[in-house]
Amino acid sequence: MMTDLYGLARAELGATLSRAGFADVHAGRVWGYLYRGFERDFGAMRELPPRLIDWLRENATLCELGVARETAADDGLTTKSLLALSDGREIEAVRMQIGERTTACLSSQVGCALGCVFCATGQMGFERNLTAGEIVAQALHVARAARANGSRLRNVVVMGMGEPLLNYDAVMTALDVLRDPAGLAIGFKQITVSTVGVAPGIVRMADEGRPYSLAVSLHAADQTERAALLPVARTWPLDVLLDACRYYAAKTGRRIFFEWTVIAGRNDALEQADELATLLAGLPAHVNLIPLNATTGFDGAAGEAAALDAFQARLRAHGLPATVRRTRGEQIAAACGQLAV
Ligand code: SAH
Ligand code: SF4
């Protein structure tokens, strides 16, 4: 069987090559070629013994994502790539460049089963989980483009298509690869895992000692209203979710980001800001306000900037840090919740 090397964490690559009779120093060289050189051609890995190159050709692959379409916005600093998987399915990855720092927004699943009413990915339904190699390959696609633009992949957000904590093992293996200091070396803090609120996954990350930046998509501070927007909220209600968040914050020492997609007339009233502040009291929290991006399947609007600013000011008045995330890439539907094939 051929092994996709992108799907192996550093220790797993070492073990795989060791079983084939190669010393760990060679695994280290392969790793450098893959994640420092972005090399895809085993034959070009000249520092490897010829015997290892032959072994790789016979036993290993490197997940290949075809570029089906690439669209640019913000003067080329944001690009959305529609990437083809080996089974013909397609996913999206987004590159956002700010000078020497580039952020990659990665998908974790093809589609999503959770059906949040305003999300384009949810509107398309669930097709399948991505493999760890397919997630790493997205990051490499962005890292290569960054390098070609004189920038470097420094931040990763798992906020593309899908719910990362429902594809836990593949996502965590992929993030282990991206963190490895001898490779892309992206730190825990520079990697954000965004979840709709899969409480058991949050607890598991804490127990496994994975202090990633955690973003929890909240959108409502009231259980009934939240369940109307995010059907999955019935499975993990607000009190269960908040308990998991407190546990994560205590175990990891990290502040938690709460995402609030602002929908005019639905969750932008000042009383709702008060409710949110009460809900998060005592938690090291930061609220990200995201104006709703248009999707065809949901009839709602982002509302006026003034309402957003007032909501933000109200949170701050409660001592709750809050920022408004102005949209990048909306013209090319690369903004939050607009990813659908
Ligand atoms: N499944 C994960 C990660 C992918 S969605 C999650 O739900 O968190 C990434 C973010 O985009 C989430 O915060 C989600 O609520 C938000 N989002 C979805 N649809 C949106 C839309 N139409 N406008 C703005 N944000 C949206
Ligand atoms: Fe899935 Fe996240 Fe979209 Fe909800 S917002 S449908 S969890 S991708």
Side-chain angles (χ1 to χ4, degrees):
M1 229 202 49
M2 302 286 264
T3 303
D4 177 10
L5 299 189
Y6 290 154
L8 302 180
R10 172 65 182 81
E12 294 165 341
L13 178 71
T16 302
L17 292 188
S18 157
R19 280 193 298 275
F22 298 100
D24 198 62
V25 56
H26 294 312
R29 291 215 176 108
V30 172
W31 194 265
Y33 277 118
L34 296 181
Y35 300 113
R36 285 283 162 95
F38 305 153
E39 186 55 71
R40 292 190 51 90
D41 175 3
F42 295 134
M45 301 183 177
R46 295 178 192 288
E47 281 173 39
L48 302 183
R51 198 167 61 83
L52 175 52
I53 294 177
D54 290 341
W55 186 90
L56 290 170
R57 283 183 171 138
E58 279 160 32
N59 298 284
T61 56
L62 297 172
C63 171
E64 193 168 346
L65 300 174
V67 180
R69 189 161 11 104
E70 205 137 71
T71 34
D74 307 324
D75 292 326
L77 296 179
T78 302
T79 57
K80 177 174 77 160
S81 307
L82 184 63
L83 301 170
L85 307 170
S86 59
D87 63 1
R89 291 188 160 93
E90 290 174 331
I91 50 164
E92 290 178 322
V94 180
R95 174 181 70 88
M96 291 163 282
Q97 184 178 339
I98 302 176
E100 288 171 5
R101 310 182 72 90
T102 288
T103 298
C105 176
L106 309 180
S107 293
S108 57
Q109 300 179 313
V110 189
C112 181
L114 301 182
C116 304
V117 295
F118 47 75
C119 171
T121 306
Q123 289 157 13
M124 74 181 265
F126 176 72
E127 296 192 16
R128 72 166 170 86
N129 277 329
L130 294 180
T131 65
E134 287 167 337
I135 298 167
V136 168
Q138 294 172 64
L140 286 172
H141 177 79
V142 172
R144 270 188 218 102
R147 186 176 283 180
N149 276 290
S151 184
R152 227 186 101 190
L153 179 61
R154 300 295 289 276
N155 294 276
V156 166
V157 297
V158 190
M159 282 191 187
M161 300 167 73
E163 169 49 50
L165 298 186
L166 292 184
N167 185 17
Y168 189 93
D169 292 333
V171 168
M172 294 305 147
T173 300
L175 298 184
D176 285 344
V177 171
L178 305 187
R179 279 193 302 108
D180 191 276
L184 290 163
I186 304 170
F188 275 115
K189 230 181 174 156
Q190 278 65 51
I191 298 179
T192 300
V193 176
S194 176
T195 177
V196 70
V198 179
I202 295 172
V203 170
R204 186 168 165 199
M205 275 205 293
D207 284 338
E208 291 177 355
R210 301 181 188 274
Y212 289 110
S213 290
L214 180 67
V216 175
S217 300
L218 206 56
H219 312 312
D222 167 83
Q223 171 61 18
T224 310
E225 173 60 13
R226 190 163 186 267
L229 293 170
L230 324 174
V232 71
R234 292 189 195 101
T235 308
W236 297 293
L238 267 179
D239 51 343
V240 172
L241 175 57
L242 267 292
D243 276 347
C245 291
R246 274 185 282 271
Y247 186 74
Y248 190 85
K251 273 247 169 177
T252 63
R254 283 267 191 276
R255 172 170 70 145
I256 298 182
F257 297 88
F258 290 91
E259 312 282 290
W260 192 276
T261 292
V262 183
I263 311 167
R266 189 89 188 245
N267 65 356
D268 64 345
L270 294 181
E271 301 73 60
Q272 286 163 312
D274 297 338
E275 223 183 335
L276 174 58
T278 306
L279 184 73
L280 300 183
L283 242 173
H286 185 110
V287 176
N288 280 322
L289 302 169
I290 311 161
L292 179 78
N293 292 309
T295 59
T296 49
F298 180 66
D299 179 24
E304 306 292 324
L308 212 70
D309 291 343
F311 195 90
Q312 178 190 24
R314 188 70 157 241
L315 294 178
R316 287 186 169 170
H318 285 289
L320 185 55
T323 42
V324 178
R325 200 190 302 142
R326 305 281 170 200
T327 298
R328 286 187 97 187
E330 191 171 12
Q331 317 91 291
I332 56 169
C336 290
Q338 291 185 313
L339 303 183
V341 178

Short mmCIF file of all heavy atoms in Angstrom, two decimals, residues 97-148:
data_model
loop_
_atom_site.label_atom_id
_atom_site.label_comp_id
_atom_site.label_asym_id
_atom_site.label_seq_id
_atom_site.Cartn_x
_atom_site.Cartn_y
_atom_site.Cartn_z
N GLN A 97 -2.81 37.38 2.72
CA GLN A 97 -1.46 37.89 2.94
C GLN A 97 -1.50 39.27 3.57
O GLN A 97 -2.22 40.15 3.10
CB GLN A 97 -0.70 37.93 1.61
CG GLN A 97 0.74 38.35 1.77
CD GLN A 97 1.50 38.34 0.45
OE1 GLN A 97 1.09 37.68 -0.51
NE2 GLN A 97 2.58 39.09 0.40
N ILE A 98 -0.73 39.44 4.63
CA ILE A 98 -0.52 40.78 5.19
C ILE A 98 0.99 40.93 5.29
O ILE A 98 1.61 40.45 6.24
CB ILE A 98 -1.19 40.95 6.57
CG1 ILE A 98 -2.71 40.68 6.44
CG2 ILE A 98 -0.93 42.33 7.12
CD1 ILE A 98 -3.46 40.74 7.77
N GLY A 99 1.57 41.54 4.28
CA GLY A 99 3.02 41.72 4.25
C GLY A 99 3.74 40.40 4.30
O GLY A 99 3.47 39.49 3.52
N GLU A 100 4.64 40.27 5.27
CA GLU A 100 5.46 39.05 5.34
C GLU A 100 4.73 37.89 6.00
O GLU A 100 5.25 36.80 6.10
CB GLU A 100 6.76 39.35 6.09
CG GLU A 100 7.71 40.19 5.26
CD GLU A 100 8.90 40.68 6.05
OE1 GLU A 100 9.04 40.29 7.23
OE2 GLU A 100 9.68 41.46 5.48
N ARG A 101 3.55 38.18 6.50
CA ARG A 101 2.78 37.14 7.18
C ARG A 101 1.60 36.71 6.33
O ARG A 101 0.84 37.54 5.86
CB ARG A 101 2.26 37.63 8.53
CG ARG A 101 3.32 38.28 9.40
CD ARG A 101 2.72 38.69 10.72
NE ARG A 101 2.43 37.53 11.53
CZ ARG A 101 3.30 36.99 12.39
NH1 ARG A 101 4.48 37.53 12.54
NH2 ARG A 101 2.99 35.92 13.07
N THR A 102 1.48 35.43 6.17
CA THR A 102 0.34 34.89 5.43
C THR A 102 -0.44 33.96 6.33
O THR A 102 0.13 33.21 7.13
CB THR A 102 0.83 34.16 4.17
OG1 THR A 102 1.29 35.14 3.22
CG2 THR A 102 -0.28 33.34 3.52
N THR A 103 -1.76 34.04 6.20
CA THR A 103 -2.66 33.16 6.94
C THR A 103 -3.35 32.23 5.95
O THR A 103 -3.77 32.66 4.88
CB THR A 103 -3.72 33.99 7.70
OG1 THR A 103 -3.06 34.82 8.64
CG2 THR A 103 -4.71 33.08 8.43
N ALA A 104 -3.45 30.97 6.32
CA ALA A 104 -4.18 30.01 5.50
C ALA A 104 -5.46 29.63 6.22
O ALA A 104 -5.45 29.34 7.41
CB ALA A 104 -3.34 28.75 5.28
N CYS A 105 -6.56 29.65 5.49
CA CYS A 105 -7.82 29.16 6.02
C CYS A 105 -8.10 27.80 5.37
O CYS A 105 -8.22 27.71 4.16
CB CYS A 105 -8.94 30.15 5.72
SG CYS A 105 -10.57 29.56 6.24
N LEU A 106 -8.14 26.77 6.21
CA LEU A 106 -8.19 25.40 5.69
C LEU A 106 -9.54 24.75 5.93
O LEU A 106 -10.21 25.01 6.94
CB LEU A 106 -7.10 24.55 6.37
CG LEU A 106 -5.68 25.11 6.38
CD1 LEU A 106 -4.74 24.14 7.08
CD2 LEU A 106 -5.20 25.39 4.95
N SER A 107 -9.90 23.85 5.03
CA SER A 107 -11.11 23.05 5.19
C SER A 107 -10.77 21.76 5.93
O SER A 107 -9.65 21.24 5.83
CB SER A 107 -11.71 22.70 3.83
OG SER A 107 -12.19 23.87 3.19
N SER A 108 -11.74 21.24 6.67
CA SER A 108 -11.54 19.99 7.40
C SER A 108 -12.44 18.86 6.89
O SER A 108 -12.19 17.69 7.17
CB SER A 108 -11.79 20.20 8.90
OG SER A 108 -13.10 20.70 9.12
N GLN A 109 -13.49 19.22 6.17
CA GLN A 109 -14.41 18.21 5.62
C GLN A 109 -14.88 18.70 4.24
O GLN A 109 -14.79 19.90 3.94
CB GLN A 109 -15.65 18.06 6.52
CG GLN A 109 -15.35 17.61 7.94
CD GLN A 109 -16.60 17.50 8.80
OE1 GLN A 109 -17.45 18.38 8.81
NE2 GLN A 109 -16.72 16.40 9.53
N VAL A 110 -15.39 17.77 3.44
CA VAL A 110 -16.08 18.19 2.22
C VAL A 110 -17.53 18.39 2.61
O VAL A 110 -18.22 17.43 2.96
CB VAL A 110 -15.98 17.13 1.11
CG1 VAL A 110 -16.52 17.70 -0.21
CG2 VAL A 110 -14.56 16.64 0.93
N GLY A 111 -17.98 19.64 2.61
CA GLY A 111 -19.31 19.95 3.10
C GLY A 111 -19.35 19.88 4.61
O GLY A 111 -18.32 19.82 5.28
N CYS A 112 -20.57 19.92 5.15
CA CYS A 112 -20.73 19.85 6.61
C CYS A 112 -22.14 19.36 6.90
O CYS A 112 -23.08 19.73 6.22
CB CYS A 112 -20.49 21.22 7.24
SG CYS A 112 -20.65 21.20 9.05
N ALA A 113 -22.23 18.53 7.93
CA ALA A 113 -23.51 17.90 8.25
C ALA A 113 -24.37 18.74 9.18
O ALA A 113 -25.51 18.39 9.44
CB ALA A 113 -23.25 16.54 8.91
N LEU A 114 -23.84 19.86 9.68
CA LEU A 114 -24.50 20.48 10.82
C LEU A 114 -25.56 21.53 10.47
O LEU A 114 -26.34 21.93 11.32
CB LEU A 114 -23.44 21.04 11.77
CG LEU A 114 -22.47 19.94 12.27
CD1 LEU A 114 -21.47 20.52 13.24
CD2 LEU A 114 -23.23 18.78 12.90
N GLY A 115 -25.55 21.98 9.23
CA GLY A 115 -26.68 22.77 8.73
C GLY A 115 -26.98 24.08 9.45
O GLY A 115 -28.14 24.45 9.59
N CYS A 116 -25.97 24.80 9.90
CA CYS A 116 -26.22 26.13 10.45
C CYS A 116 -26.89 26.96 9.36
O CYS A 116 -26.45 26.94 8.20
CB CYS A 116 -24.92 26.77 10.91
SG CYS A 116 -24.04 25.73 12.10
N VAL A 117 -27.96 27.66 9.71
CA VAL A 117 -28.86 28.19 8.68
C VAL A 117 -28.21 29.20 7.74
O VAL A 117 -28.60 29.30 6.57
CB VAL A 117 -30.13 28.81 9.30
CG1 VAL A 117 -30.96 27.75 10.00
CG2 VAL A 117 -29.77 29.92 10.27
N PHE A 118 -27.21 29.94 8.23
CA PHE A 118 -26.66 31.02 7.40
C PHE A 118 -25.38 30.61 6.68
O PHE A 118 -24.73 31.44 6.07
CB PHE A 118 -26.38 32.26 8.26
CG PHE A 118 -25.66 31.93 9.54
CD1 PHE A 118 -24.31 31.62 9.52
CD2 PHE A 118 -26.32 31.95 10.76
CE1 PHE A 118 -23.63 31.33 10.69
CE2 PHE A 118 -25.66 31.65 11.93
CZ PHE A 118 -24.31 31.34 11.90
N CYS A 119 -24.98 29.34 6.76
CA CYS A 119 -23.66 28.94 6.25
C CYS A 119 -23.77 28.19 4.93
O CYS A 119 -24.51 27.22 4.80
CB CYS A 119 -22.98 28.06 7.30
SG CYS A 119 -21.46 27.30 6.71
N ALA A 120 -23.00 28.65 3.95
CA ALA A 120 -23.06 28.06 2.61
C ALA A 120 -22.59 26.60 2.63
O ALA A 120 -23.14 25.76 1.92
CB ALA A 120 -22.20 28.87 1.64
N THR A 121 -21.59 26.31 3.47
CA THR A 121 -21.11 24.92 3.55
C THR A 121 -22.20 24.03 4.13
O THR A 121 -22.44 22.92 3.64
CB THR A 121 -19.85 24.84 4.42
OG1 THR A 121 -18.88 25.76 3.94
CG2 THR A 121 -19.27 23.43 4.39
N GLY A 122 -22.86 24.52 5.16
CA GLY A 122 -23.95 23.76 5.77
C GLY A 122 -25.08 23.54 4.76
O GLY A 122 -25.71 22.48 4.75
N GLN A 123 -25.30 24.53 3.92
CA GLN A 123 -26.38 24.41 2.94
C GLN A 123 -26.09 23.33 1.90
O GLN A 123 -27.00 22.79 1.28
CB GLN A 123 -26.62 25.79 2.26
CG GLN A 123 -27.28 26.81 3.22
CD GLN A 123 -27.03 28.27 2.82
OE1 GLN A 123 -26.57 28.57 1.72
NE2 GLN A 123 -27.32 29.20 3.73
N MET A 124 -24.81 22.99 1.72
CA MET A 124 -24.49 21.96 0.72
C MET A 124 -24.52 20.53 1.28
O MET A 124 -24.48 19.56 0.53
CB MET A 124 -23.15 22.24 0.03
CG MET A 124 -21.91 21.95 0.88
SD MET A 124 -20.34 22.33 0.03
CE MET A 124 -19.91 20.72 -0.64
N GLY A 125 -24.59 20.38 2.59
CA GLY A 125 -24.62 19.04 3.18
C GLY A 125 -23.24 18.42 3.33
O GLY A 125 -22.24 19.03 2.95
N PHE A 126 -23.20 17.21 3.89
CA PHE A 126 -21.92 16.56 4.19
C PHE A 126 -21.57 15.54 3.12
O PHE A 126 -22.41 14.75 2.71
CB PHE A 126 -22.02 15.85 5.55
CG PHE A 126 -20.79 15.07 5.94
CD1 PHE A 126 -19.62 15.71 6.31
CD2 PHE A 126 -20.82 13.67 5.93
CE1 PHE A 126 -18.48 14.99 6.68
CE2 PHE A 126 -19.68 12.94 6.30
CZ PHE A 126 -18.52 13.61 6.67
N GLU A 127 -20.31 15.55 2.67
CA GLU A 127 -19.87 14.52 1.73
C GLU A 127 -18.90 13.54 2.38
O GLU A 127 -19.15 12.36 2.43
CB GLU A 127 -19.31 15.15 0.47
CG GLU A 127 -20.41 15.94 -0.26
CD GLU A 127 -20.05 16.36 -1.66
OE1 GLU A 127 -19.07 15.82 -2.23
OE2 GLU A 127 -20.73 17.26 -2.20
N ARG A 128 -17.79 14.05 2.89
CA ARG A 128 -16.88 13.15 3.61
C ARG A 128 -15.86 13.94 4.41
O ARG A 128 -15.68 15.14 4.21
CB ARG A 128 -16.18 12.19 2.65
CG ARG A 128 -15.11 12.81 1.76
CD ARG A 128 -14.27 11.69 1.13
NE ARG A 128 -13.37 12.15 0.08
CZ ARG A 128 -12.14 12.62 0.27
NH1 ARG A 128 -11.67 12.79 1.51
NH2 ARG A 128 -11.38 12.97 -0.75
N ASN A 129 -15.18 13.22 5.31
CA ASN A 129 -14.05 13.81 6.03
C ASN A 129 -12.85 13.93 5.11
O ASN A 129 -12.67 13.12 4.20
CB ASN A 129 -13.66 12.91 7.20
CG ASN A 129 -14.53 13.14 8.42
OD1 ASN A 129 -15.01 14.25 8.66
ND2 ASN A 129 -14.74 12.09 9.19
N LEU A 130 -12.00 14.92 5.39
CA LEU A 130 -10.71 14.98 4.71
C LEU A 130 -9.70 14.13 5.47
O LEU A 130 -9.83 13.94 6.68
CB LEU A 130 -10.21 16.43 4.63
CG LEU A 130 -11.05 17.36 3.76
CD1 LEU A 130 -10.44 18.77 3.77
CD2 LEU A 130 -11.13 16.85 2.33
N THR A 131 -8.70 13.64 4.76
CA THR A 131 -7.60 12.95 5.43
C THR A 131 -6.62 14.00 5.97
O THR A 131 -6.63 15.16 5.53
CB THR A 131 -6.84 12.04 4.45
OG1 THR A 131 -6.20 12.87 3.47
CG2 THR A 131 -7.77 11.05 3.75
N ALA A 132 -5.77 13.56 6.89
CA ALA A 132 -4.74 14.47 7.40
C ALA A 132 -3.89 15.00 6.24
O ALA A 132 -3.55 16.18 6.19
CB ALA A 132 -3.87 13.75 8.43
N GLY A 133 -3.54 14.12 5.30
CA GLY A 133 -2.72 14.52 4.16
C GLY A 133 -3.40 15.58 3.31
O GLY A 133 -2.75 16.51 2.81
N GLU A 134 -4.70 15.47 3.16
CA GLU A 134 -5.42 16.48 2.37
C GLU A 134 -5.46 17.82 3.08
O GLU A 134 -5.49 18.88 2.42
CB GLU A 134 -6.85 15.98 2.09
CG GLU A 134 -6.89 14.86 1.04
CD GLU A 134 -8.23 14.13 0.95
OE1 GLU A 134 -9.00 14.16 1.94
OE2 GLU A 134 -8.50 13.52 -0.09
N ILE A 135 -5.45 17.81 4.39
CA ILE A 135 -5.43 19.07 5.13
C ILE A 135 -4.04 19.70 5.05
O ILE A 135 -3.88 20.89 4.79
CB ILE A 135 -5.88 18.83 6.60
CG1 ILE A 135 -7.31 18.29 6.61
CG2 ILE A 135 -5.76 20.11 7.41
CD1 ILE A 135 -7.76 17.73 7.96
N VAL A 136 -3.00 18.87 5.24
CA VAL A 136 -1.63 19.38 5.13
C VAL A 136 -1.37 19.91 3.71
O VAL A 136 -0.75 20.97 3.54
CB VAL A 136 -0.62 18.26 5.48
CG1 VAL A 136 0.80 18.67 5.11
CG2 VAL A 136 -0.71 17.93 6.97
N ALA A 137 -1.86 19.20 2.71
CA ALA A 137 -1.63 19.63 1.32
C ALA A 137 -2.23 21.01 1.05
O ALA A 137 -1.66 21.80 0.30
CB ALA A 137 -2.19 18.59 0.35
N GLN A 138 -3.36 21.32 1.67
CA GLN A 138 -3.93 22.67 1.52
C GLN A 138 -2.97 23.71 2.08
O GLN A 138 -2.76 24.77 1.48
CB GLN A 138 -5.24 22.80 2.30
CG GLN A 138 -6.40 21.97 1.80
CD GLN A 138 -7.56 22.07 2.80
OE1 GLN A 138 -8.12 23.14 3.02
NE2 GLN A 138 -7.90 20.96 3.43
N ALA A 139 -2.42 23.42 3.26
CA ALA A 139 -1.49 24.37 3.88
C ALA A 139 -0.26 24.56 3.00
O ALA A 139 0.24 25.69 2.84
CB ALA A 139 -1.09 23.87 5.27
N LEU A 140 0.23 23.47 2.41
CA LEU A 140 1.41 23.58 1.55
C LEU A 140 1.10 24.38 0.29
O LEU A 140 1.94 25.14 -0.20
CB LEU A 140 1.93 22.18 1.19
CG LEU A 140 2.64 21.45 2.33
CD1 LEU A 140 2.94 20.01 1.94
CD2 LEU A 140 3.92 22.17 2.73
N HIS A 141 -0.10 24.21 -0.21
CA HIS A 141 -0.51 24.99 -1.39
C HIS A 141 -0.40 26.49 -1.07
O HIS A 141 0.15 27.27 -1.85
CB HIS A 141 -1.95 24.62 -1.78
CG HIS A 141 -2.49 25.41 -2.92
ND1 HIS A 141 -2.15 25.14 -4.23
CD2 HIS A 141 -3.30 26.49 -2.96
CE1 HIS A 141 -2.74 26.01 -5.02
NE2 HIS A 141 -3.45 26.84 -4.27
N VAL A 142 -0.91 26.86 0.10
CA VAL A 142 -0.86 28.27 0.50
C VAL A 142 0.59 28.68 0.81
O VAL A 142 1.04 29.77 0.44
CB VAL A 142 -1.76 28.51 1.73
CG1 VAL A 142 -1.58 29.92 2.28
CG2 VAL A 142 -3.23 28.27 1.35
N ALA A 143 1.35 27.81 1.47
CA ALA A 143 2.73 28.14 1.85
C ALA A 143 3.59 28.41 0.61
O ALA A 143 4.43 29.32 0.61
CB ALA A 143 3.33 27.01 2.68
N ARG A 144 3.38 27.62 -0.43
CA ARG A 144 4.14 27.83 -1.69
C ARG A 144 3.79 29.17 -2.31
O ARG A 144 4.68 29.92 -2.73
CB ARG A 144 3.81 26.73 -2.69
CG ARG A 144 4.71 25.55 -2.59
CD ARG A 144 4.45 24.58 -3.75
NE ARG A 144 4.56 23.24 -3.18
CZ ARG A 144 3.55 22.47 -2.87
NH1 ARG A 144 2.31 22.86 -3.12
NH2 ARG A 144 3.75 21.30 -2.32
N ALA A 145 2.50 29.48 -2.36
CA ALA A 145 2.07 30.76 -2.94
C ALA A 145 2.62 31.91 -2.11
O ALA A 145 3.07 32.93 -2.65
CB ALA A 145 0.55 30.82 -3.00
N ALA A 146 2.63 31.74 -0.79
CA ALA A 146 3.17 32.79 0.08
C ALA A 146 4.64 33.02 -0.24
O ALA A 146 5.09 34.16 -0.41
CB ALA A 146 2.99 32.40 1.55
N ARG A 147 5.39 31.93 -0.32
CA ARG A 147 6.82 32.05 -0.61
C ARG A 147 7.06 32.75 -1.95
O ARG A 147 7.93 33.62 -2.06
CB ARG A 147 7.48 30.67 -0.60
CG ARG A 147 8.98 30.72 -0.74
CD ARG A 147 9.61 29.36 -0.64
NE ARG A 147 9.68 28.89 0.74
CZ ARG A 147 10.19 27.72 1.11
NH1 ARG A 147 10.69 26.90 0.19
NH2 ARG A 147 10.24 27.36 2.37
N ALA A 148 6.26 32.40 -2.94
CA ALA A 148 6.40 33.02 -4.26
C ALA A 148 6.11 34.52 -4.20
O ALA A 148 6.55 35.28 -5.05
CB ALA A 148 5.47 32.34 -5.27
#
